[in-house]
Amino acid sequence: MARLLVYQAIWGMENLPGVDMEADMPGVLAKIFDAGFDGVGVSLMRPDRAEAVARGVLDRGKSFEAIGFVFTAADVARYVDRAQELGAHHLNIQIMARPDKVDDAVALLTGFEAEAAKASIPVNYETHRGRLTNDALFTCRILDRMPALRLTGDLSHYPLVHEMPLPVPEADMARMRKVLRHCWAFHGRVPGSHQIQVSIRAPQHQGWVDQMRAWWREGFADWLTRAGPDGELTFMPELGPPNYAITGLDGRELSDRWKEALMLKDMAHELWAEATQPVAA
């Protein structure tokens, strides 16, 4: 039976009070799993940390998303090999190369896909600012040419890149729906039209909380129409430290990242229940 796995980002644990990422990774993982998360997401950029996380996660019978940052097909091949060696659930790729033309982007991705096809684990490409998938317009043009492309939907970047107002204009909604139809995993964060990470508890941001909930619910429901009966969809709250997190004049964060990660975890389970109810019926 298809199921939802909710991960916590290792990056999102940085600079949290009482968390020592360097000296006590077992304690960090214990905090995450004791809170009810099913796994974690970890970058492969730091081999020592990735190895420690992978070992700790698998020893607990959990799973993890490996994250790689790539420029070339050779980079993809290298990260595929490493993710598989470590036992990752899937590999999430951020594409650092940014060609200006769709033809060039398709050619680049065709090489990436040739390497991904050799993998024994799924390989997804993350929607992200400052990457090849920087904006929804360019990404949708790529999807028109490569309809089988698998995305990790970090949807928060597009309301910011396009300064989307609320209610979201229909043209932007259509592009977001196209992106959702290609999402095989999700990263969870609530943006505003001018900020990448806002507090989900703040009354002034509830319009964007509602919009993100609606997109995630739609994405979950669409994934269920594509996934096999034993498919596993991952949703990872990814609340980053400053400068993602908003700070006051004293440099301290204005919101409680850990508490809001737990809220996003619970939200994902609620939306999954809503998305799966028609299927069960």
Side-chain angles (χ1 to χ4, degrees):
M1 184 175 182
R3 63 177 182 148
L4 175 72
L5 300 176
V6 183
Y7 289 176
Q8 166 62 1
I10 292 295
W11 174 60
M13 303 299 289
E14 291 185 3
N15 301 327
L16 287 182
V19 172
D20 190 336
M21 298 279 283
E22 301 304 322
D24 188 22
M25 185 58 72
V28 175
L29 294 176
K31 182 179 180 70
I32 291 170
F33 294 130
D34 288 348
F37 287 97
D38 301 300
V40 302
V42 62
S43 168
L44 299 178
M45 293 288 286
R46 283 189 51 176
D48 56 340
R49 176 177 290 183
E51 290 173 10
V53 169
R55 184 168 55 250
V57 169
L58 297 179
D59 284 349
R60 289 174 171 265
K62 304 292 187 177
S63 58
F64 69 96
E65 171 187 280
I67 303 168
F69 301 80
V70 309
F71 288 90
T72 67
D75 293 336
V76 175
R78 178 164 51 88
Y79 280 122
V80 164
D81 288 345
R82 191 59 181 141
Q84 291 176 159
E85 289 170 358
L86 293 175
H89 181 274
H90 63 275
L91 174 63
N92 176 62
I93 287 176
Q94 290 191 19
I95 308 172
M96 309 302 289
R98 292 184 59 186
D100 295 330
K101 298 178 180 179
V102 174
D103 285 349
D104 294 337
V106 169
L108 183 69
L109 279 162
T110 298
F112 289 5
E113 285 286 82
E115 297 300 333
K118 303 173 187 176
S120 61
I121 59 174
V123 178
N124 306 329
Y125 305 95
E126 185 176 350
T127 61
H128 202 294
R129 287 173 304 143
R131 310 293 188 257
L132 181 124
T133 53
N134 177 73
D135 65 87
L137 286 76
F138 194 74
T139 302
C140 285
R141 290 170 185 152
I142 293 170
L143 294 175
D144 287 339
R145 301 273 296 276
M146 304 183 73
L149 206 64
R150 297 172 57 102
L151 300 179
T152 293
D154 189 336
L155 307 178
S156 64
H157 294 284
Y158 290 156
L160 178 59
V161 166
H162 295 285
E163 291 196 13
M164 293 181 190
L166 287 174
V168 176
E170 182 51 40
D172 287 323
M173 287 293 282
R175 295 183 188 105
M176 295 299 283
R177 292 190 193 106
K178 179 177 287 190
V179 169
L180 287 169
R181 290 196 296 271
H182 293 80
C183 287
W184 292 86
F186 290 91
H187 288 181
R189 180 190 305 112
V190 175
S193 301
H194 307 284
Q195 297 161 319
I196 188 56
Q197 182 174 299
V198 301
S199 172
I200 62 176
R201 293 188 292 168
Q204 65 269 32
H205 299 312
Q206 291 313 295
W208 274 111
V209 172
D210 292 343
Q211 180 59 73
M212 296 303 294
R213 285 178 60 101
W215 278 332
W216 289 329
R217 185 190 302 110
E218 181 177 345
F220 291 1
D222 190 83
W223 178 87
L224 285 163
T225 69
R226 296 179 268 117
D230 297 322
E232 292 179 332
L233 176 66
T234 60
F235 177 94
M236 184 170 73
E238 196 185 27
L239 302 181
N243 292 319
Y244 264 62
I246 299 172
T247 57
L249 292 176
D250 59 0
R252 295 183 179 180
E253 297 179 40
L254 299 182
S255 59
D256 187 327
R257 266 189 293 133
W258 176 246
K259 183 176 292 186
E260 295 202 358
L262 298 178
M263 293 172 67
L264 285 171
K265 173 177 65 69
D266 293 341
M267 186 186 299
H269 285 299
E270 293 169 7
L271 297 174
W272 178 255
E274 294 173 12
T276 55
Q277 186 174 1
V279 175

